[in-house]
Amino acid sequence: MFRVQHLVPQPDGQPPLFNWGNFKVDCLRIDGSEVAVTGRIVEAGPYWQEFMERKPTARMGLSFHIPKEGDGPARVAITAPAAADRPEVRKCSVKAPSDKVIEGGYRITDSRR
């Protein structure tokens, strides 16, 4: 299982929207400092309910670059669920982690422990 949660900034000083989703992992790939995971959504906050209604439910992917000291910034990428202009995300198929983590962060834990 993996969980994505984040705040979505809003204009005009409005409080940010909180969004989240839990995903059942169908692929996990670790290659040194690179991590990729895909899974199908099993629970979601109000902004991702449409992904829960699909049959089968939507698949999403995440990728991370977890740097060693002196190896530059942490990076992340989200491979969003399929939309009218995008095909279904394939198992183990994620974008390369290209977005620098500049604020907040990601926590990766092994829930089996």
Side-chain angles (χ1 to χ4, degrees):
M1 184 80 66
F2 70 91
R3 179 180 180 96
V4 174
Q5 59 186 41
H6 60 97
L7 297 173
V8 181
Q10 298 299 297
D12 302 326
Q14 298 283 333
L17 300 176
F18 178 68
N19 195 18
W20 64 275
N22 291 331
F23 297 79
K24 182 178 180 186
V25 173
D26 57 21
C27 178
L28 173 64
R29 187 175 61 233
I30 302 170
D31 183 14
S33 62
E34 306 291 319
V35 177
V37 62
T38 58
R40 291 205 179 271
I41 196 163
V42 295
E43 293 179 284
Y47 305 104
W48 282 350
Q49 284 299 307
E50 67 177 282
F51 301 137
M52 294 283 301
E53 295 167 4
R54 297 181 184 177
K55 299 298 180 218
T57 60
R59 179 180 288 126
M60 180 183 276
L62 294 172
S63 60
F64 302 90
H65 168 72
I66 304 166
K68 296 177 182 158
E69 191 162 335
D71 189 24
R75 294 187 306 272
V76 64
I78 295 176
T79 303
D85 61 340
R86 287 190 312 271
E88 169 81 349
V89 174
R90 294 187 324 246
K91 232 185 250 192
C92 298
S93 180
V94 296
K95 295 189 299 187
S98 57
D99 298 323
K100 293 178 185 174
V101 177
I102 57 172
E103 187 176 356
Y106 283 87
R107 182 177 50 172
I108 301 173
T109 60
D110 183 346
S111 63
R112 297 173 295 177
R113 294 179 185 197

